[in-house]
Amino acid sequence: MAAPSVAVDNLNPKVVLKCEYAVRGEIVIHAQRLQQQLQTQPGSLPFDEILYCNIGNPQSLGQQPVTFFREVLALCDHPCLLEKEETKSLFSADAISRATTILASIPGRATGAYSHSQGIKGLRDAIAAGIASRDGYPANADDIFLTDGASPGVHMMMQLLIRNEKDGILCPIPQYPLYSASIALHGGALVPYYLNESTGWGLEISDLKKQLEDARSKGIDVRALVVINPGNPTGQVLAEENQRDIVKFCKNEGLVLLADEVYQENIYVDNKKFNSFKKIARSMGYKEDDLPLAGDASYASYKAEKDGILQSLARRAKALENAFNNLEGIKCNKTEGAMYLFPQLSLPQKAIEAAKAVNKAPDAFYALRLLEATGIVVVPGSGFGQVPGTWHIRCTILPQEEKIPAIISRFKAFHEGFMAAYRD
Amino acid sequence: MAAPSVAVDNLNPKVVLKCEYAVRGEIVIHAQRLQQQLQTQPGSLPFDEILYCNIGNPQSLGQQPVTFFREVLALCDHPCLLEKEETKSLFSADAISRATTILASIPGRATGAYSHSQGIKGLRDAIAAGIASRDGYPANADDIFLTDGASPGVHMMMQLLIRNEKDGILCPIPQYPLYSASIALHGGALVPYYLNESTGWGLEISDLKKQLEDARSKGIDVRALVVINPGNPTGQVLAEENQRDIVKFCKNEGLVLLADEVYQENIYVDNKKFNSFKKIARSMGYKEDDLPLAGDASYASYKAEKDGILQSLARRAKALENAFNNLEGIKCNKTEGAMYLFPQLSLPQKAIEAAKAVNKAPDAFYALRLLEATGIVVVPGSGFGQVPGTWHIRCTILPQEEKIPAIISRFKAFHEGFMAAYRD
């Protein structure tokens, strides 16, 4: 018999070697192990719960879903409910009416059928109307492709754009690892540009231009520019002027602009507003989006739930940011949007050497120690990319608000101990 | 300003040129156009509705979803319902209990959270128990990867297995175009083996062996064998003996066996049983799967709905098969499983020349004429692959049962006219 020809060491190396996904990497696996240990041997660790600040996964940390969305979803899942009398007392009137409208737009009211490849036309019409209303410019349902989450959309674009290893995509550093992983998976070249930490993670056209020319001089055919706004993991919100320059740059250089705007509702500062690149590209004007309207039965509770979530996130962001900035050797930019803080660590030389001795990046070493001492899970900045020689961690603002003070005090105690232990 | 560097003619050619998807191709687009014409100009065509026999999409053709599944889904999407008194009269008691169990297995009962990358552990445990019960052999939840549909699972495997254009995958011809498209997309080589129409689409090891050796002699590193059982588009169910030979072949040749068993519940003949390749590989034993059990509140209606669907499909398959076999120049194998008939057309030479004159495959020419004359949408066999010089169409058995007699009589009238018009 022949030996099996397929084994881990001869799988597609693009998948096995190049795709690293720090938000689900070593630290998280270690945290899951510690969580099991807490269950089987309570009291065996210096903390009694694991606090996941690594992944932007609010509902896993107790954030409640928005009732209106869930009502509509349940009614569309099981449309027979709409014919029952009891439904009127169980569901809000506007959820019933919204589900009825959605079902009417689905051929045969068949929510279990394959749809048009771009997504159900009636839903794309509603989304186009919402975008038009948000931006003040017309939107066309035929230009919209619905995907199940952002990742398949990014993969689809990379697959279309990347033909071989000489095709490049301009990506911010730090960036969300979905971009580096999907570019590697599709066999292209990541062309980095650095966000400027000293100007609040600003995106500078001069750096874009320099990186583009540098890549072209190496024979890379740069095809697209990725912009994440609000930023992940960096939390900044782009200024309108800056966005105009980016659009102009893409037009001049013949680049596809890939705008990741998933955090458009998560803005925490009064002096910044989210502007879609679609709107910027067509220029000026801003209105409301297509959700329950004032006067609808659910509107008050919908608005209260949504505002409650966003206001609480803003308070958590501010509390964590202040706490980080009060610690020796940590400097944290303001979180203007999204769900993350990305503080910079100035670590003592001794700590850097201790990390090197165990073959770890200094920020990964720090994150591992933090986990072991406190149960707090963060992601090392090296998973997102950073200016060489700088070290960061990404910490979400998602743990429940009442847990934030405990997180801050545990973090503070750990950090002070760490700095004292490795002081140069 | 530079001209835009990205345009349709310089996108990734693997995506743009090589991925053909006949079940959503030219004929379907033409059918959608005719459907619009029927709406705007009623009476302008020789039929008054389009009958979609092209895609395995039962609920779009009026098949009702199974109530139990939809009840559980609605309760999991909106768990607050479980706390309300009215829910007890709106939902069956076992759906309430099943949803409660499922929610308890999801960390934080958070159905809106990112899950473990392989899928929620508690659900994988339940699936493993169902597989163990079906096969009579243990199944391990850690070996199970949940995907949203079969396509992402197939893409994932192709991505893992295919490193470059010298990596080959053995695929049945005819095959479902998901396989040819995903192999092309990931840049590998499709190594065809032919199902034998004269033995009811039998899979012959001697042909597998011959194609494997032929591919190897051309420097192709064959990595895996795709088997679709029950067959799509061919509808056959493999015999246990044949499955054993396939497993042995894969073991001897070091091939990964990719078994597509999505139609395991769709079996229409008494003398064939579905056996999973997992069971075959571990050998012998068969039990029930993990759905409502006799005695549960929903069991009677669940069983009635499910049996009703399958019995009706079996009657539709038989009626269409008989109708095809009663027509001149059509020969159709028995549909033992899945949802398709794949009759062979013996077309007059004049028809083949007429097709050639308009630059179409003869079966595509036939399908287009069928659509224009009757509104019936089928897929040409050339979209699935077939022995060169033979022509087929794939027709689903999914239109509502009361429409089948009309489909048969329209089809018969068209076919007789077509044969008369092109008689040699």
Side-chain angles (χ1 to χ4, degrees), chain A residues 113-262:
Chain A
Y114 294 126
S115 69
H116 187 287
S117 297
Q118 279 180 247
I120 291 163
K121 177 66 163 55
L123 299 184
R124 284 184 286 125
D125 285 336
I127 291 165
I131 291 174
S133 152
R134 180 194 69 187
D135 291 347
Y137 288 92
N140 184 346
D142 292 340
D143 296 336
I144 293 172
F145 290 71
L146 302 183
T147 58
D148 48 339
S151 298
V154 170
H155 279 289
M156 212 180 273
M157 287 309 299
M158 295 305 172
Q159 196 157 49
L160 270 173
L161 291 169
I162 296 172
R163 296 159 299 182
N164 56 55
E165 71 284 358
K166 285 288 182 192
D167 280 343
I169 309 289
L170 270 162
C171 267
I173 299 293
Q175 51 96 40
Y176 187 67
L178 167 60
Y179 292 96
S180 46
S182 65
I183 292 168
L185 206 55
H186 296 289
L190 187 151
V191 180
Y193 65 91
Y194 287 96
L195 300 176
N196 187 341
E197 188 165 5
S198 68
T199 60
W201 301 112
L203 192 167
E204 279 158 34
I205 302 292
S206 58
D207 188 52
L208 275 183
K209 184 90 187 157
K210 182 177 155 299
Q211 301 296 345
L212 176 68
E213 279 163 9
D214 188 42
R216 284 182 175 161
S217 75
K218 290 176 188 151
I220 302 288
D221 184 353
V222 180
R223 313 269 286 168
L225 167 68
V226 172
V227 180
I228 310 175
N229 179 45
N232 178 1
T234 42
Q236 84 286 15
V237 176
L238 293 178
E240 198 172 327
E241 184 60 27
N242 198 191
Q243 289 184 274
R244 281 183 212 285
D245 290 341
I246 293 167
V247 169
K248 211 189 305 168
F249 174 78
C250 287
K251 189 157 172 46
N252 287 345
E253 302 292 349
L255 301 176
V256 175
L257 174 55
L258 299 174
D260 177 339
E261 301 178 335
V262 299

Side-chain angles (χ1 to χ4, degrees), chain A residues 374-402:
Chain A
T374 65
I376 298 172
V377 189
V378 298
V379 186
S382 40
F384 303 92
Q386 50 202 348
V387 171
T390 69
W391 309 107
H392 299 77
I393 53 172
R394 187 185 81 162
C395 177
T396 72
I397 57 174
L398 296 172
Q400 288 172 280
E401 192 166 359
E402 61 271 27

Side-chain angles (χ1 to χ4, degrees), chain A residues 5 10 12 24 57 59 70 77 86 89-90 111-115 117 148 159-160 162-163 185 223 254, chain B residues 5 10 12 24 57 59 70 77 84 86 89 111-115 117 148 159-160 162-163 185 223 254:
Chain A
S5 69
N10 64 17
N12 182 352
R24 290 178 174 238
N57 196 4
Q59 292 184 15
R70 296 308 190 96
D77 280 340
E86 297 94 321
S89 62
L90 262 183
T111 51
Y114 294 126
S115 69
S117 297
D148 48 339
Q159 196 157 49
L160 270 173
I162 296 172
R163 296 159 299 182
L185 206 55
R223 313 269 286 168
Chain B
S5 70
N10 64 17
N12 182 352
R24 291 179 174 237
N57 196 4
Q59 292 184 14
R70 295 309 189 95
D77 275 338
K84 303 283 178 61
E86 296 95 321
S89 62
T111 51
Y114 293 126
S115 70
S117 297
D148 48 340
Q159 195 157 50
L160 270 173
I162 296 171
R163 296 159 299 182
L185 207 54
R223 313 269 286 167

Side-chain angles (χ1 to χ4, degrees), chain B residues 330-396:
Chain B
I330 299 194
K331 212 181 132 290
C332 184
N333 278 328
K334 187 187 272 303
T335 296
E336 300 174 336
M339 309 198 298
Y340 313 100
L341 293 157
F342 198 64
Q344 183 172 157
L345 309 174
S346 302
L347 298 175
Q349 195 54 37
K350 270 193 198 150
I352 293 171
E353 278 152 23
K356 214 173 159 185
V358 293
N359 207 16
K360 295 211 180 299
D363 48 9
F365 177 75
Y366 180 92
L368 214 50
R369 286 296 172 91
L370 174 68
L371 168 61
E372 284 167 350
T374 65
I376 298 172
V377 189
V378 298
V379 186
S382 39
F384 303 92
Q386 49 202 348
V387 171
T390 68
W391 310 108
H392 299 76
I393 53 172
R394 187 185 81 163
C395 178
T396 73

